[in-house]
Amino acid sequence: MSEKRTDVNELGEFGLIDHITRGNKQHQKSTLRGIGDDAAVVGQGGQYAVISTDMLVEGIHFDMMYTPLKHLGYKAVVVNLSDIYAMNVAPTQVTVSIAISNRYSVEALEELYAGVKKACDFYNVDLIGGDTTSSPKGMIISVTAIGLTDSLDKVVYRSGAKVGDIVCVSGDLGAAYVGLQLLEREKQLYLNDNTITPDFSSYQYVIERQLKPEAAKAAYDYFKRSDLVPSSMMDISDGLSSDMMHICKASGVGAYLEEGKIPLHPESKELALEFNMDPVTCALSGGEDYELLFTVAPEDLDKIRFMPGAYIIGEIVERKDGLKLHTTGGNIHELKAQGWNHF
Ligand code: ADP
Ligand code: MG
């Protein structure tokens, strides 16, 4: 007699989340939005919190060969703050939990926390707790971020995109992925010959986008200043294709993107080509850009036309029209969510 055993890779990340959370019941009236967005929304009576959690695992999400601990601490916080901004709320508190093997010294953890504190200072959030435990191998960092708000009116979900809305991103895409390719290449070269010292000086932008990303606080500030509420929003952590698909699914719409309008940094373009990769593919299927992907109603066009750093990349269409890329060569491509398999 054998029990059925299904490999988690058969479902993929999103399929797995759907599977294990199927039939999840909410018991509390104060749970206003549960699973399925960048952050959950809870609260009542004019006080609300958006809450998001993310975990970084050594060997999966970061490699100690090229990740300075201070940057790692910074990034672990920032990627969570990014999910709060993606709800159009400013983050206010974080908790940080770590599991560490005995390979890490007190000094190493001081470095990690110097990064955590730096991110807290920069984004004006408070570290309010966490948990510390041991791990048999490597390091795991889990961060929970909270953003308080007294109104639900400006909270933005993935599900609000409407046909005719304009699709925008808050900055260039693909650089973090290209940066990762560069770090991996240099790591291999170093492993083959450890007399080589990698020189990254001419590729600072992509390296920084990978190792020390920032959350799109400037975009949040601009929305607030210009009294603009996007109709839908999420942060780009898995690549434009996959994340656009999430907005389309949640909103019950399709989208039409213009390849030529997808913003790419010159350094990403140059380096992608050096790696024989298409820079646009890096933007579509790479990840970890932590820019905001958002839609706005057509009447708000003027407000985003002058938004610093933002780019208009397409339009929301009917669901039956699917998710399409209009290429610079004039062809229409169906975009597939690549997602990834980290398992
Ligand atoms: P993001 O990329 O914005 O961090 P994810 O893709 O990780 O979001 O998660 C999608 C949704 O699934 C979120 O609402 C998240 O809270 C939820 N989720 C992920 N893993 C689990 C889990 N193991 N149990 C319950 N909910 C989960
Ligand atoms: Mg997100």
Side-chain angles (χ1 to χ4, degrees), residues 7-253:
D7 195 288
V8 289
N9 282 312
E10 273 179 41
L11 298 180
E13 183 197 3
F14 306 123
L16 181 64
I17 296 172
D18 282 349
H19 188 79
I20 57 179
T21 58
R22 196 167 294 156
N24 176 44
K25 287 197 207 71
Q26 316 269 243
H27 306 287
Q28 300 290 340
K29 265 215 314 268
S30 54
T31 304
L32 303 174
R33 179 69 59 123
I35 296 160
D37 220 298
D38 290 290
V41 182
V42 304
Q44 55 200 358
Q47 279 300 320
Y48 308 95
V50 280
I51 306 171
S52 178
T53 204
D54 254 307
M55 191 149 65
L56 298 180
V57 178
E58 182 173 353
I60 305 274
H61 302 102
F62 59 92
D63 186 325
M64 276 304 164
M65 284 272 296
Y66 51 71
T67 310
L69 280 160
K70 192 170 170 186
H71 286 20
L72 179 61
Y74 193 87
K75 180 171 177 174
V77 171
V78 163
V79 302
N80 280 276
L81 303 185
S82 175
D83 277 323
I84 304 300
Y85 284 119
M87 306 298 287
N88 201 30
V89 173
T92 45
Q93 286 89 9
V94 289
T95 65
V96 176
S97 301
I98 51 172
I100 39 161
S101 73
N102 56 15
R103 210 178 80 220
Y104 291 94
S105 64
V106 173
E107 289 72 21
L109 297 173
E110 280 172 0
E111 272 293 294
L112 181 78
Y113 268 72
V116 166
K117 288 170 192 161
K118 191 169 174 201
C120 289
D121 289 344
F122 187 75
Y123 288 95
N124 197 26
V125 302
D126 295 335
L127 171 65
I128 55 160
D131 195 20
T132 304
T133 183
S134 56
S135 121
K137 209 171 143 254
M139 183 191 293
I140 297 169
I141 311 170
S142 173
V143 177
T144 297
I146 300 167
L148 292 182
T149 175
D150 52 18
S151 155
L152 291 173
D153 297 349
K154 292 190 172 167
V155 174
V156 178
Y157 299 98
R158 295 177 179 182
S159 54
K162 305 250 174 343
V163 174
D165 283 357
I166 301 155
V167 180
C168 313
V169 288
S170 63
D172 66 88
L173 304 177
Y177 180 78
V178 173
L180 180 63
Q181 301 314 305
L182 179 63
L183 290 164
E184 282 290 335
R185 179 183 74 183
E186 296 304 312
K187 173 186 165 181
Q188 289 312 325
L189 291 174
Y190 178 82
L191 288 175
N192 294 335
D193 175 0
N194 61 16
T195 61
I196 298 176
T197 12
D199 175 17
F200 295 128
S201 54
S202 42
Y203 293 117
Q204 287 215 319
Y205 184 75
V206 296
I207 297 284
E208 195 161 314
R209 291 281 273 174
Q210 168 58 225
L211 294 179
K212 190 176 170 288
E214 299 292 354
K217 178 180 185 300
Y220 165 84
D221 289 340
Y222 181 85
F223 295 149
K224 201 167 169 185
R225 219 167 45 239
S226 49
D227 207 15
L228 171 63
V229 182
S231 51
S232 72
M233 183 151 68
M234 72 177 294
D235 68 334
I236 305 184
S237 51
D238 297 331
L240 178 61
S241 241
S242 164
D243 291 334
M244 189 73 240
M245 189 79 84
H246 282 307
I247 285 189
C248 288
K249 263 197 178 161
S251 301
V253 295

Side-chain angles (χ1 to χ4, degrees), residues 229-283:
V229 182
S231 51
S232 72
M233 183 151 68
M234 72 177 294
D235 68 334
I236 305 184
S237 51
D238 297 331
L240 178 61
S241 241
S242 164
D243 291 334
M244 189 73 240
M245 189 79 84
H246 282 307
I247 285 189
C248 288
K249 263 197 178 161
S251 301
V253 295
Y256 181 85
L257 304 181
E258 294 273 355
E259 179 183 17
K261 300 220 167 126
I262 297 175
L264 303 163
H265 190 275
E267 203 176 295
S268 317
K269 272 199 224 172
E270 185 191 325
L271 202 54
L273 296 173
E274 198 183 309
F275 284 122
N276 285 319
M277 292 183 306
D278 173 17
V280 175
T281 307
C282 296

